[in-house]
Amino acid sequence: MTTATTTVGRDRHIPWLFVLGFAIVFAVNGTMIWFAVGSFSGLYTPKPRDRGLHYNDVVAAQQARDTLGWRVVTFWHPQSDRLELTLSDRSGAPLAGARVMVELVRPAEKRPPLDVAMAAVDAGRHEGHVALPARGNWDVDIVVERNGERFAQTQRMFLK
């Protein structure tokens, strides 16, 4: 008879163990949600509503960019922390005399973009040095201007 009472005494703690287990799961999930909401807003542009209202202008700008036929090829040199851009026109000839502006944006963090000072090395080739604060995924925002024409493009790169 004593064994039955000690078993019943132990059994009444089992429901509380389930409650404790669920409480731990809720606490961990709540902490993860708090970190997720506080660390990244999910917004890429500063004024997403305005961009949405003027979406047709964005599409028209992209179509104008595509009619230029310019191509930009990016290459990252991790040994020297150098970003290289090769610019070409519709026929594949080097795009000489262009002005290039580059910003590096970390897509998963709220940090200001890094401006990269690009210098023309050769006809259609530009290089810039940047000391990355963190390795990983970066959006390379490229703006090329020549003879009053403007070409903008964003490329996602893993920089290490």
Side-chain angles (χ1 to χ4, degrees):
M1 187 97 169
T2 27
T3 35
T5 41
T6 56
T7 307
V8 171
R10 247 189 307 173
D11 290 346
R12 74 177 180 190
H13 295 299
I14 292 176
W16 291 109
L17 290 175
F18 279 106
V19 170
L20 178 64
F22 279 112
I24 291 171
V25 168
F26 284 130
V28 169
N29 284 340
T31 304
M32 290 173 61
I33 289 170
W34 182 75
F35 279 123
V37 170
S39 64
F40 180 55
S41 67
L43 301 176
Y44 184 73
T45 60
K47 297 183 178 180
R49 183 178 182 279
D50 293 340
R51 183 179 167 119
L53 290 174
H54 301 288
Y55 183 70
N56 289 338
D57 297 338
V58 173
V59 171
Q62 289 175 345
Q63 289 172 342
R65 178 198 75 187
D66 292 343
T67 58
L68 288 173
W70 294 354
R71 290 187 327 151
V72 177
V73 177
T74 57
F75 187 73
W76 175 251
H77 299 277
Q79 301 84 7
S80 57
D81 287 342
R82 218 168 17 98
L83 182 66
E84 179 182 333
L85 301 179
T86 305
L87 313 172
S88 57
D89 62 9
R90 182 182 303 283
S91 64
L95 194 64
R99 190 174 135 224
V100 179
M101 293 157 286
V102 174
E103 282 185 345
L104 295 178
V105 178
R106 186 90 166 161
E109 293 180 22
K110 290 182 191 175
R111 76 171 60 200
L114 295 174
D115 288 327
V116 181
M118 301 299 288
V121 176
D122 200 2
R125 214 174 104 222
H126 293 72
E127 288 184 355
H129 179 271
V130 60
L132 293 176
R135 307 298 183 180
N137 281 326
W138 288 84
D139 287 340
V140 183
D141 291 338
I142 304 163
V143 177
V144 180
E145 294 177 347
R146 186 180 83 158
N147 300 334
E149 296 175 313
R150 187 173 192 268
F151 178 89
Q153 181 178 348
T154 300
Q155 295 181 5
R156 171 91 29 109
M157 295 182 72
F158 186 81
L159 305 179
K160 52 183 175 179

